[in-house]
Amino acid sequence: MTDYALAFLDGNFIDAREAGILQVHALHYASSVFEGIRVYDGRAFMLDAHVIRLLRSAEIVGLQCGLDKARCMEILEEAVTRSRLVNSYMRPVVFNGGPDLGVFAPTNATRFGVLVWDWPSPFGDEEIREGISLTTRVPYRRPPESCFPSEAKASAGYLVGCINRQHSAIAGFDDALMLTHDGFVAEASGANIFALCAGKLLTPRPKGILNGITRQVVINHMPPDVCVEERDLDLATLKNADEVFLTGTAYEIMPVRRIDDFAFSPGPLTRRIAETYRSLTNLPPVQLETSNERAP
Ligand code: PMP
């Protein structure tokens, strides 16, 4: 156990032994990964895929949480039952718990925690109905895959989203739309993007962005006439789209009504996809063809 000599927290010098929150490696270096899972009607939607991604993310950032997929699912299922919430949002997190604050701290314990809460949507009723506004006029782009392991849902990746989201709020927008390092459309701070352009539903390739589970549901489990093309998407094409929507566990299928100075209306395809998605959330789990399925 590291012997800290002094601690100061929230205005007071305190006993260093009481400063547990400061002695967490993850707080200093973002050495953590997490998942966001929605519970619908008492059932965690796509639980299998989320647990696979959580364990794969932990492996990528070098965290050994000591739980296998079966045990992890068991804990999360028990969390759903114990929460007594029929519809909820669940947040498992795997993190380096300290107390060694060296960058390389192999003796630290990896900790696993879960929070469950009632979070119907990050947006209000009006936004859900009319769509949300996005701005690309934010300071930071998504790093390329050579600079960040975007396959992992790693806390460190969220700082860029948090900063950009603050800028978008100050400018009066609901969310930030980030670009890739080389200037193509990437993703919002907590969601992937789709655009209906000249009759085709386009979405960025999963390179340097989080390959969202909701995104994969839309690609693989929509009616057969909805065919998605994954490709580099430039802003000019996006701004000429007939419909734009975001996908994410928290956002679900969220129409976009504005990007910078360009307006859109939630159109019939967005509505159809939103309805199909809703119906899937009440059905048995769908199988995804994710690259993460190689995980333990
Ligand atoms: N991109 C980012 C940056 C996100 O935080 C999320 C939310 N996890 C998504 C995309 C969508 O992922 P999912 O559909 O798995 O929730």
Side-chain angles (χ1 to χ4, degrees):
M1 186 79 179
T2 309
D3 231 354
Y4 291 101
L6 180 98
F8 181 92
L9 183 62
D10 299 334
N12 300 300
F13 286 101
I14 57 169
D15 186 333
R17 285 166 303 186
E18 310 276 299
I21 193 175
L22 295 178
Q23 296 166 13
V24 176
H25 191 278
L27 177 68
H28 298 253
Y29 306 121
S31 46
S32 61
V33 297
F34 68 95
E35 269 306 315
I37 305 166
R38 265 204 190 284
V39 175
Y40 296 98
D41 267 341
R43 190 174 62 83
F45 183 57
M46 305 299 293
L47 181 60
D48 199 77
H50 282 287
V51 169
I52 289 170
R53 188 170 66 184
L54 180 69
L55 297 177
R56 175 75 184 132
S57 298
E59 185 182 304
I60 290 169
V61 308
L63 290 166
Q64 273 103 40
C65 74
L67 298 173
D68 63 9
K69 185 179 152 208
R71 180 66 190 130
C72 203
M73 290 192 56
E74 205 173 78
I75 294 168
L76 293 170
E77 271 158 0
E78 189 174 341
V80 172
T81 312
R82 282 176 178 256
S83 77
R84 299 217 195 101
L85 292 172
V86 177
N87 295 298
S88 62
Y89 182 85
M90 184 156 56
R91 175 63 65 84
V93 54
V94 177
F95 62 103
N96 182 324
D100 183 347
L101 298 182
V103 169
F104 180 57
T107 60
N108 280 347
T110 296
R111 300 178 70 182
F112 173 76
V114 185
L115 286 167
V116 183
W117 70 97
D118 181 9
W119 192 30
S121 175
F123 302 102
D125 290 346
E126 193 188 322
E127 284 87 8
I128 295 169
R129 244 188 355 262
E130 313 283 328
I132 61 169
S133 58
L134 307 176
T135 181
T136 60
R137 298 180 193 126
V138 290
Y140 297 105
R141 292 182 175 189
R142 276 271 170 249
E145 283 186 311
S146 58
C147 298
F148 192 82
S150 56
E151 191 193 333
K153 191 167 161 68
S155 305
Y158 280 81
L159 186 61
V160 164
C162 290
I163 297 171
N164 286 336
R165 179 85 190 235
Q166 285 171 36
H167 279 262
S168 68
I170 291 164
F173 288 84
D174 297 310
D175 201 351
L177 176 60
M178 293 176 276
L179 302 182
T180 60
H181 72 104
D182 50 357
F184 291 102
V185 173
E187 60 187 340
S189 66
N192 296 116
I193 189 161
F194 288 75
L196 179 65
C197 301
K200 279 189 189 160
L201 190 54
L202 308 179
T203 196
R205 289 178 300 122
K207 296 266 173 235
I209 61 168
L210 190 73
N211 185 5
I213 289 168
T214 321
R215 172 188 185 279
Q216 295 172 59
V217 169
V218 168
I219 292 173
N220 297 320
H221 298 283
M222 287 297 134
D225 63 310
V226 179
C227 181
V228 180
E229 194 180 316
E230 297 175 82
R231 58 168 244 199
D232 287 342
L233 187 58
D234 58 56
L235 260 182
T237 306
L238 182 66
K239 288 178 174 175
N240 274 314
D242 296 314
E243 298 180 34
V244 179
F245 62 89
L246 301 181
T247 64
T249 300
Y251 291 52
E252 301 172 307
I253 308 296
M254 180 62 61
V256 172
R257 68 175 166 77
R258 185 177 161 198
I259 299 175
D260 296 332
D261 303 321
F262 293 79
F264 308 90
S265 315
L269 184 66
T270 305
R271 294 209 188 288
R272 204 145 67 87
I273 288 175
E275 275 162 24
T276 310
Y277 185 73
R278 280 228 75 84
S279 69
L280 285 172
T281 61
N282 291 318
L283 289 172
V286 285
Q287 289 305 312
L288 287 185
E289 286 158 35
T290 83
S291 55
N292 296 346
E293 276 177 3
R294 287 189 304 274

